[in-house]
Each structure stands twice: as structure tokens, then as C-alpha cells.
Amino acid sequence: MAQIIDGKAVAQAVKENVARKVEQLQERGIRPCLAVIIIGDDPASRTYVNNKKKACEATGILSKEISLDKETTTEQLLNVINELNDDMSVHGILCQLPLPKQIDENKIIAAISPEKDVDAFHALNVGRLFQGVQNLQPCTPSGVIVLLDYYGLPIEGKNCVIIGRSNIVGKPMAMLLLQRNGTVTVAHSKTADLKAITGMADILISAVGKPGFVTADMVKEGAIVIDVGINRDEQGKLCGDVCFDEVEKKASFITPVPGGVGPMTVAMLMENTVRAARLQYQ
Ligand code: NDP
């Protein structure tokens, strides 16, 4: 039976560490501030933004919410971002995705100042990640690394298989594992014989977005299974990509959903906000 990786507890430890760093910055007269832009009234986005605000409160980071109408244009959003870029009291800027269809997401990501880009989606931060330069790093993949480290699970020399190649999870996850000397395979919807590939994984990370996608027959005995997926099952209950009940019997370590990677993403956002504030005052 696998040991459960308790993302909630690790996230709490990360946030306590962030709170200490916030105190130190405040002693120097700096109050880290995160601006979160939310457009429209998507309930999932609202929940995510509320969670981020709560984490700010818990760590002493000032949070600033900018709620915009669902009809907002790219130009209007760019104006808001430019103002936040110029505002010295704001250290981190996050635009809650997904954006309404009329907004050009690439333009928005490119407009956020790289120093304030706490999601680390800007091309400059992506480039730095590829170069292995320590900088702002995308929250979900860096949260996964912190989880592995917290449980003392080595990455070096391990076969790491990621299912999913999105810009926000799969690709940056591959870079971070590579930096830690993992041997990385990135699988996707066109991958042939997925089961043969996942069956070789010492560390299997699923970021597909389909409930029940990872079954026990895809997992090697004793593998570490990290479930990034956040989905709703047929009953509307929150679930990951992994068939938890059957995979738990085969894996050595496993993250639950909820309570696994999700809380880490928010905790790492707090970490990034403090890092951004420090970088801006260096
Ligand atoms: P995307 O939809 O952008 O990417 C999904 C990936 O899964 C794609 O690369 C796709 O391949 C791949 N895929 C789809 N079907 C298959 C298949 N049959 N076999 C193999 N690969 C497949 O999703 P995201 O990366 O944005 O998110 C993935 C999941 O993670 C979602 O559930 C999301 O909610 C969750 N998430 C959770 C976070 C957290 O904090 N825990 C943060 C961000 C996301 P292809 O590229 O070929 O289409």
C-alpha cells in the first residue's frame, strides 16, 4: 500500500516559511503584494482566486484583486497590466486563466513584466528555465519537485514519465526533472503504446485532465505516482487523473486529489511572490 504524499501539510510548511520571509521583508519596509486579475464570472476561476487570496492572508502578503467584465478586450486588459507593471507597490501579477475567447492570451502573457511574472509563463522566464537559471519558476511543476524533496524521494537517475505536454505543466515539469538529473520522457495524445512507457516509470506524473486515466496496469510496482489532474467525476466530485484506489495498492508513494499537488501550486505562488519582491529590491 502506497504512502500518501500529504500536499496540504507540505503546502502549510512552505507557507509558514514564506510568512517568515514576508516578516523579514517587512522589517526592511517592503510588503510583498500580489495582484490577481480575474475576468468574467467562471466559478472555477473564482474558487482559484479565492484560494490565492486566502493564502496571501495566511502568509502576510498583500493581495489586490482586479475584477474585470467578461466583455473586456485585449487592449483594456493590456492597459490594466501596464498600470500594474508600473506600480512599484505591486510585486507579482497573475492573470487567472482561462481568458475569455476575445482576449489574445499570448499578448497578455508577453505583457506582464518578467520580474512580476509569478506564474513564470513569460517567454523570458520560460527561456531561463530552459537554461537552468534560477529564477521565477512555474508553480505547479516546482510544487511537485518540493513534494518529492520533502519526502526524500530522489530524482537523479530515475525514469520520470510525464503524461501531458502543456506549457503550464508538462513541458516545465520535464525541464525541472531534467535539471535534477532525472531521465525524462514526455508522453501525449499521439504517444504510441503509452502503457509500455508509463510501465517503466519510477516517477509517473499525470497531467492529462481526464478522470480515471491512469489505471493500475499502467504503473510499475513501487512507482511514485503524482497526480496533477483536477477534474470532476460523474457525480461532480473533485478527482485527479489516477484511479486512486487501484493504483494506491501498487505504488510506493501517491498524491491524492484533493490534497496533493493543488495546495502546492498555491503555496509556490506565495513563494514566487516573495521571490519577485526580493528580486525587485536587489
Ligand atoms: P492541457 O489540456 O493543456 O494538456 C493535457 C495534456 O494531456 C496534453 O498534452 C494532451 O496531449 C495530453 N493528453 C490528452 N489525452 C491524452 C491521451 N489519451 N494520452 C496521452 N496524453 C493525453 O491540460 P493542462 O496541462 O493545463 O492540465 C492538465 C490537468 O492538470 C487538468 O486536469 C488541469 O485541471 C490540471 N491542473 C492542475 C493544476 C494543479 O494545481 N494541481 C495546475 C494546472 C493544471 P496533446 O498535447 O497531444 O493534446
Side-chain angles (χ1 to χ4, degrees), residues 48 140 163-170 187-191 194 206-210 213 227-231 239-241 260-266:
Y48 289 136
T140 302
I163 322 175
R165 56 172 163 182
S166 71
N167 287 338
I168 58 171
V169 189
H188 47 78
S189 69
K190 307 290 184 286
T191 296
L194 182 63
S206 182
V208 176
K210 291 182 180 167
F213 188 82
D227 191 351
V228 178
I230 301 182
N231 315 300
C239 66
D241 293 344
V261 177
M264 289 306 293
T265 299
V266 181

Side-chain angles (χ1 to χ4, degrees), residues 69-172:
D69 188 86
K70 65 178 188 305
E71 308 297 340
T72 301
T73 63
T74 302
E75 276 60 40
Q76 285 167 331
L77 182 52
L78 286 174
N79 287 337
V80 170
I81 289 172
N82 287 335
E83 273 177 33
L84 293 170
N85 281 343
D86 292 340
D87 185 341
M88 294 281 284
S89 71
V90 171
H91 307 99
I93 304 170
L94 178 151
C95 199
Q96 186 62 47
L97 302 178
L99 296 172
K101 275 192 226 59
Q102 75 276 10
I103 296 180
D104 184 336
E105 190 173 299
N106 287 333
K107 272 194 186 167
I108 299 307
I109 289 172
I112 295 174
S113 159
E115 285 68 38
K116 299 190 179 187
D117 171 36
V118 282
D119 263 335
F121 293 162
H122 190 285
L124 197 73
N125 287 324
V126 175
R128 285 173 177 152
L129 178 65
F130 267 63
Q131 289 178 329
V133 176
Q134 191 65 23
N135 195 60
L136 296 173
Q137 293 188 333
C139 301
T140 302
S142 57
V144 171
I145 299 287
V146 171
L147 278 181
L148 294 171
D149 285 347
Y150 196 90
Y151 280 81
L153 303 169
I155 299 167
E156 184 161 318
K158 300 295 177 193
N159 265 342
C160 307
V161 176
I162 305 159
I163 322 175
R165 56 172 163 182
S166 71
N167 287 338
I168 58 171
V169 189
K171 285 184 202 165

Side-chain angles (χ1 to χ4, degrees), residues 31-72:
R31 177 89 190 266
C33 171
L34 173 66
V36 179
I37 307 169
I38 176 166
I39 300 145
D41 44 19
D42 175 53
S45 292
R46 172 44 61 200
T47 306
Y48 289 136
V49 169
N50 288 348
N51 286 344
K52 288 165 188 174
K53 279 166 78 174
K54 264 193 232 155
C56 282
E57 277 165 30
T59 50
I61 292 172
L62 205 62
S63 77
K64 188 174 174 145
E65 181 183 315
I66 297 108
S67 295
L68 302 175
D69 188 86
K70 65 178 188 305
E71 308 297 340
T72 301

Side-chain angles (χ1 to χ4, degrees), residues 3-9 147 151 225-230 238-242 244 248 253-263:
Q3 183 177 336
I4 309 290
I5 295 180
D6 186 348
K8 242 175 132 177
L147 278 181
Y151 280 81
V225 179
I226 307 287
D227 191 351
V228 178
I230 301 182
L238 213 60
C239 66
D241 293 344
V242 176
F244 186 88
E248 151 182 63
F253 287 83
I254 189 167
T255 59
V257 178
V261 177

